[in-house]
Amino acid sequence: MHRRKFVGTLGLGIIALGLNKSVLVSGGESPQVSITLDDFNWFDTPQMTAEARNRALLDSLRAHSTQAAMFVAAKYVDNEKGQKLLDAWDKDGHIIGNHSYSHLKYNDVTFERFSQDILKGESVLNKHPSFKKLFRFPYLKEGNTVEKRDAMRAFLKAHGYRNGHVTIDASDWYVDQRLRARLKVNPNADLSPYRDYYLNHIWERSLYYDDLSRKVLGRSVKHTLLLHHNVLNGLFLGDLMTMYKEKNWKLIKAEEAYTDSVFNAAPNIAPAGESLIWALAKETGKFEKLLRYPGEDGEYEKARMDKLGL
């Protein structure tokens, strides 16, 4: 995998110096972003119970008066406690989407197995009033061959689903992994460096994908940011939303974001998947120097976090 050699091309190297807000408002257009979260893999940690994390996420969204989309891998809520935790998202009016049952990587299994796993997930999730037929592929892998890609697109359409695409991909899951490893060794560790790294990482990726959107489509789309139901976001989701506002990005509801016409696109690439913006750029064949595969991965963050001692 290639490191971030393309960052300089996009002019993102100035992030470390602190970006001027005017950089974000190209032609007077303030970017718009919605919060989407994946998995719903709840568990207790010594510092934060599953209930506390769930409540912290919901409280942060409520404090910023926004509605998220939660894409649930149903195996995590196929039990009484998981259902109770998910009920709280229903009550607050957040979208509940399908992220399959078992969280399989489609590229690694057959169409038959994966499609049945989607329906199994639906059978667990569709009892919730906020459930909508939005499907997000685990790992953002939508088929490693044209045949598998097209078979799944036809299957989703036949079952009334839309693709719950991501436009801003990121690796918050990896930062969370490193943060929890530190807490396991030192429960009283100072977490502010992890917060700062997380915010800078999401900011950097937001700028990259928004810039790519403008290059490919000539405009800034209504973004869907990929995050996870994890300890990191339980601690710092509120800080992230505050950061966006301070940078003149507008927080919008996930339901509004998915009204953007870009989400009707079906990029003709294989392997299929990654951020929708990445896939559209790949389809043109004009932006190879700006793309890496996979679009995001913990490997890209490892050296930097190692250097910082995180």
Side-chain angles (χ1 to χ4, degrees):
M1 298 180 199
H2 298 292
R3 297 287 175 181
R4 290 183 178 140
K5 293 180 180 178
F6 58 83
V7 171
T9 307
L10 290 174
L12 300 185
I14 57 174
I15 289 175
L17 302 178
L19 280 167
N20 188 302
K21 290 180 180 180
S22 63
V23 174
L24 306 179
V25 191
S26 175
E29 181 186 3
S30 295
Q32 301 176 68
V33 62
S34 65
I35 304 298
T36 73
L37 302 102
D38 281 8
D39 297 353
F40 215 86
N41 182 10
W42 60 268
F43 50 84
D44 295 334
T45 67
Q47 296 79 19
M48 182 177 282
T49 65
E51 290 89 346
R53 186 211 310 177
N54 205 49
R55 179 44 50 195
L57 290 167
L58 290 166
D59 286 349
S60 292
L61 292 164
R62 186 180 298 161
H64 286 270
S65 301
T66 196
Q67 171 223 49
M70 174 62 73
F71 290 89
V72 181
K75 66 178 181 178
Y76 297 123
V77 299
D78 196 7
N79 52 73
E80 184 177 351
K81 185 172 181 179
Q83 286 292 323
K84 182 178 180 181
L85 292 171
L86 191 56
D87 281 343
W89 291 79
D90 249 336
K91 291 176 182 176
D92 277 12
H94 300 290
I95 293 172
I96 295 174
N98 192 341
H99 197 40
S100 79
Y101 184 89
S102 306
H103 204 271
L104 302 171
K105 185 180 290 185
Y106 183 37
N107 290 3
D108 295 343
V109 299
T110 64
F111 163 78
E112 289 74 19
R113 183 179 179 190
F114 194 79
S115 58
Q116 290 306 304
D117 200 66
I118 292 173
L119 296 180
K120 184 176 180 180
E122 179 181 330
S123 71
V124 175
L125 301 173
N126 63 9
K127 65 189 70 175
H128 293 276
S130 293
F131 174 74
K132 293 187 182 299
K133 285 197 169 184
L134 282 171
F135 178 74
R136 177 169 291 169
F137 286 83
Y139 311 100
L140 303 185
K141 306 307 180 194
E142 300 180 21
N144 51 331
T145 66
V146 170
E147 292 75 19
K148 285 178 70 175
R149 179 199 71 191
D150 291 350
M152 186 51 60
R153 286 178 177 174
F155 172 85
L156 291 173
K157 183 177 181 180
H159 287 269
Y161 276 94
R162 294 179 61 201
N163 192 319
H165 282 294
V166 169
T167 64
I168 301 173
D169 193 6
S171 296
D172 71 303
W173 60 270
Y174 182 72
V175 183
D176 174 74
Q177 184 182 101
R178 302 269 299 226
L179 177 147
R180 288 190 287 111
R182 176 59 56 85
L183 286 173
K184 189 173 182 179
V185 174
N186 179 8
N188 298 314
D190 178 11
L191 299 183
S192 58
Y194 291 90
R195 171 191 175 275
D196 295 344
Y197 187 92
Y198 163 66
L199 295 180
N200 187 70
H201 169 64
I202 299 297
W203 182 235
E204 182 185 62
R205 306 324 296 150
S206 297
L207 290 176
Y208 166 70
Y209 286 106
D210 190 62
D211 184 84
L212 194 60
S213 172
R214 295 172 192 271
K215 283 179 166 63
V216 177
L217 300 171
R219 68 183 180 92
S220 176
V221 301
K222 294 181 178 181
H223 287 292
T224 50
L225 169 67
L226 172 60
L227 298 174
H228 292 80
H229 189 297
N230 57 28
V231 174
L232 179 76
N233 286 304
L235 292 169
F236 304 128
L237 178 60
D239 293 326
L240 177 67
M241 290 187 286
T242 296
M243 178 194 75
Y244 274 126
K245 289 180 177 179
E246 290 176 346
K247 301 293 190 181
N248 284 345
W249 280 44
K250 182 182 178 183
L251 281 174
I252 61 172
K253 295 180 178 181
E255 188 170 31
E256 179 183 347
Y258 281 114
T259 65
D260 194 306
S261 60
V262 73
F263 293 104
N264 296 323
N268 184 22
I269 63 170
E274 310 305 304
S275 153
L276 177 59
I277 302 302
W278 187 101
L280 289 169
K282 183 74 174 178
E283 183 181 35
T284 70
K286 299 177 181 179
F287 301 95
E288 292 303 308
K289 291 183 180 180
L290 303 183
L291 304 177
R292 62 188 181 189
Y293 187 82
E296 304 298 327
D297 194 278
E299 179 180 337
Y300 304 134
E301 308 308 316
K302 184 179 186 304
R304 190 182 298 181
M305 295 192 78
D306 287 346
K307 186 175 181 180
L308 293 170
L310 300 177

Short mmCIF file of all heavy atoms in Angstrom, two decimals, residues 112-134:
data_model
loop_
_atom_site.label_atom_id
_atom_site.label_comp_id
_atom_site.label_asym_id
_atom_site.label_seq_id
_atom_site.Cartn_x
_atom_site.Cartn_y
_atom_site.Cartn_z
N GLU A 112 -24.27 -15.92 -2.54
CA GLU A 112 -25.37 -16.61 -1.85
C GLU A 112 -25.25 -16.45 -0.34
O GLU A 112 -26.25 -16.13 0.34
CB GLU A 112 -25.37 -18.09 -2.23
CG GLU A 112 -25.79 -18.37 -3.65
CD GLU A 112 -24.73 -18.02 -4.71
OE1 GLU A 112 -23.54 -17.89 -4.31
OE2 GLU A 112 -25.10 -17.86 -5.89
N ARG A 113 -24.07 -16.66 0.19
CA ARG A 113 -23.90 -16.54 1.64
C ARG A 113 -24.11 -15.11 2.11
O ARG A 113 -24.77 -14.85 3.12
CB ARG A 113 -22.50 -17.03 2.04
CG ARG A 113 -22.28 -17.00 3.56
CD ARG A 113 -20.91 -17.51 3.94
NE ARG A 113 -20.72 -17.44 5.39
CZ ARG A 113 -19.55 -17.64 5.98
NH1 ARG A 113 -18.47 -17.94 5.27
NH2 ARG A 113 -19.46 -17.54 7.30
N PHE A 114 -23.55 -14.16 1.37
CA PHE A 114 -23.63 -12.76 1.79
C PHE A 114 -25.05 -12.23 1.70
O PHE A 114 -25.52 -11.51 2.60
CB PHE A 114 -22.69 -11.91 0.93
CG PHE A 114 -22.44 -10.53 1.47
CD1 PHE A 114 -21.53 -10.32 2.50
CD2 PHE A 114 -23.10 -9.44 0.94
CE1 PHE A 114 -21.30 -9.05 3.00
CE2 PHE A 114 -22.88 -8.16 1.43
CZ PHE A 114 -21.97 -7.97 2.46
N SER A 115 -25.75 -12.55 0.64
CA SER A 115 -27.12 -12.05 0.48
C SER A 115 -28.03 -12.59 1.58
O SER A 115 -28.88 -11.85 2.11
CB SER A 115 -27.66 -12.41 -0.91
OG SER A 115 -27.65 -13.80 -1.12
N GLN A 116 -27.88 -13.85 1.95
CA GLN A 116 -28.69 -14.41 3.02
C GLN A 116 -28.36 -13.77 4.36
O GLN A 116 -29.22 -13.61 5.23
CB GLN A 116 -28.52 -15.93 3.08
CG GLN A 116 -29.15 -16.66 1.90
CD GLN A 116 -30.62 -16.30 1.71
OE1 GLN A 116 -31.42 -16.45 2.63
NE2 GLN A 116 -30.96 -15.82 0.53
N ASP A 117 -27.10 -13.37 4.53
CA ASP A 117 -26.68 -12.71 5.77
C ASP A 117 -27.31 -11.33 5.89
O ASP A 117 -27.64 -10.88 7.00
CB ASP A 117 -25.15 -12.61 5.80
CG ASP A 117 -24.62 -12.39 7.22
OD1 ASP A 117 -24.77 -13.31 8.04
OD2 ASP A 117 -24.07 -11.30 7.48
N ILE A 118 -27.51 -10.66 4.76
CA ILE A 118 -28.20 -9.37 4.77
C ILE A 118 -29.63 -9.54 5.25
O ILE A 118 -30.13 -8.79 6.09
CB ILE A 118 -28.17 -8.73 3.37
CG1 ILE A 118 -26.75 -8.32 2.99
CG2 ILE A 118 -29.10 -7.50 3.33
CD1 ILE A 118 -26.61 -7.84 1.55
N LEU A 119 -30.31 -10.55 4.71
CA LEU A 119 -31.70 -10.79 5.11
C LEU A 119 -31.81 -11.21 6.57
O LEU A 119 -32.77 -10.84 7.26
CB LEU A 119 -32.32 -11.86 4.20
CG LEU A 119 -32.44 -11.49 2.72
CD1 LEU A 119 -33.07 -12.63 1.94
CD2 LEU A 119 -33.23 -10.20 2.54
N LYS A 120 -30.83 -11.96 7.04
CA LYS A 120 -30.82 -12.34 8.46
C LYS A 120 -30.67 -11.09 9.33
O LYS A 120 -31.33 -10.96 10.37
CB LYS A 120 -29.68 -13.32 8.73
CG LYS A 120 -29.66 -13.85 10.17
CD LYS A 120 -28.56 -14.88 10.35
CE LYS A 120 -28.55 -15.42 11.80
NZ LYS A 120 -27.46 -16.43 11.99
N GLY A 121 -29.81 -10.18 8.91
CA GLY A 121 -29.66 -8.93 9.65
C GLY A 121 -30.96 -8.14 9.68
O GLY A 121 -31.37 -7.62 10.72
N GLU A 122 -31.63 -8.07 8.52
CA GLU A 122 -32.89 -7.34 8.45
C GLU A 122 -33.92 -7.92 9.42
O GLU A 122 -34.68 -7.17 10.06
CB GLU A 122 -33.43 -7.39 7.03
CG GLU A 122 -34.76 -6.67 6.87
CD GLU A 122 -35.31 -6.74 5.45
OE1 GLU A 122 -34.49 -6.82 4.51
OE2 GLU A 122 -36.54 -6.72 5.30
N SER A 123 -33.95 -9.24 9.56
CA SER A 123 -34.95 -9.87 10.43
C SER A 123 -34.78 -9.48 11.89
O SER A 123 -35.74 -9.51 12.67
CB SER A 123 -34.88 -11.40 10.29
OG SER A 123 -33.69 -11.91 10.88
N VAL A 124 -33.58 -9.08 12.27
CA VAL A 124 -33.31 -8.64 13.64
C VAL A 124 -33.59 -7.15 13.80
O VAL A 124 -34.06 -6.70 14.85
CB VAL A 124 -31.85 -8.96 14.03
CG1 VAL A 124 -31.51 -8.39 15.41
CG2 VAL A 124 -31.59 -10.46 14.00
N LEU A 125 -33.33 -6.38 12.75
CA LEU A 125 -33.37 -4.92 12.84
C LEU A 125 -34.72 -4.31 12.47
O LEU A 125 -35.04 -3.21 12.93
CB LEU A 125 -32.30 -4.31 11.92
CG LEU A 125 -30.85 -4.72 12.22
CD1 LEU A 125 -29.93 -4.18 11.14
CD2 LEU A 125 -30.42 -4.21 13.59
N ASN A 126 -35.52 -4.99 11.67
CA ASN A 126 -36.71 -4.34 11.13
C ASN A 126 -37.84 -4.15 12.13
O ASN A 126 -38.86 -3.54 11.81
CB ASN A 126 -37.22 -5.08 9.88
CG ASN A 126 -37.66 -6.50 10.17
OD1 ASN A 126 -37.75 -6.92 11.32
ND2 ASN A 126 -37.93 -7.26 9.11
N LYS A 127 -37.67 -4.64 13.35
CA LYS A 127 -38.67 -4.39 14.39
C LYS A 127 -38.56 -2.98 14.95
O LYS A 127 -39.46 -2.52 15.66
CB LYS A 127 -38.50 -5.41 15.52
CG LYS A 127 -37.19 -5.31 16.29
CD LYS A 127 -36.98 -6.48 17.26
CE LYS A 127 -36.70 -7.76 16.51
NZ LYS A 127 -36.36 -8.91 17.40
N HIS A 128 -37.47 -2.29 14.62
CA HIS A 128 -37.27 -0.93 15.14
C HIS A 128 -37.93 0.09 14.23
O HIS A 128 -37.73 0.06 13.01
CB HIS A 128 -35.77 -0.63 15.27
CG HIS A 128 -35.10 -1.45 16.32
ND1 HIS A 128 -35.11 -1.10 17.65
CD2 HIS A 128 -34.41 -2.61 16.24
CE1 HIS A 128 -34.45 -2.01 18.34
NE2 HIS A 128 -34.02 -2.93 17.53
N PRO A 129 -38.72 0.99 14.79
CA PRO A 129 -39.43 1.99 13.97
C PRO A 129 -38.50 2.84 13.10
O PRO A 129 -38.91 3.28 12.02
CB PRO A 129 -40.14 2.86 15.02
CG PRO A 129 -40.32 1.95 16.19
CD PRO A 129 -39.10 1.08 16.22
N SER A 130 -37.27 3.07 13.54
CA SER A 130 -36.35 3.91 12.78
C SER A 130 -35.57 3.16 11.71
O SER A 130 -34.72 3.72 11.03
CB SER A 130 -35.36 4.61 13.73
OG SER A 130 -36.03 5.54 14.55
N PHE A 131 -35.86 1.86 11.57
CA PHE A 131 -35.15 1.07 10.56
C PHE A 131 -35.52 1.53 9.16
O PHE A 131 -36.68 1.74 8.84
CB PHE A 131 -35.50 -0.42 10.71
CG PHE A 131 -34.92 -1.28 9.62
CD1 PHE A 131 -33.57 -1.59 9.59
CD2 PHE A 131 -35.75 -1.77 8.60
CE1 PHE A 131 -33.04 -2.39 8.57
CE2 PHE A 131 -35.22 -2.57 7.58
CZ PHE A 131 -33.87 -2.87 7.58
N LYS A 132 -34.50 1.74 8.35
CA LYS A 132 -34.70 2.07 6.94
C LYS A 132 -33.87 1.14 6.09
O LYS A 132 -32.82 0.65 6.52
CB LYS A 132 -34.30 3.53 6.67
CG LYS A 132 -35.20 4.55 7.35
CD LYS A 132 -34.87 5.96 6.91
CE LYS A 132 -35.73 6.99 7.62
NZ LYS A 132 -37.17 6.81 7.34
N LYS A 133 -34.34 0.89 4.89
CA LYS A 133 -33.64 -0.03 4.01
C LYS A 133 -32.45 0.66 3.33
O LYS A 133 -32.42 0.87 2.11
CB LYS A 133 -34.60 -0.65 3.00
CG LYS A 133 -35.50 -1.71 3.64
CD LYS A 133 -36.15 -2.59 2.59
CE LYS A 133 -36.82 -3.81 3.25
NZ LYS A 133 -37.37 -4.74 2.24
N LEU A 134 -31.49 0.99 4.16
CA LEU A 134 -30.18 1.45 3.73
C LEU A 134 -29.20 0.36 4.12
O LEU A 134 -29.18 -0.08 5.27
CB LEU A 134 -29.80 2.75 4.43
CG LEU A 134 -30.41 4.06 3.92
CD1 LEU A 134 -30.07 5.19 4.89
CD2 LEU A 134 -29.90 4.40 2.52
#
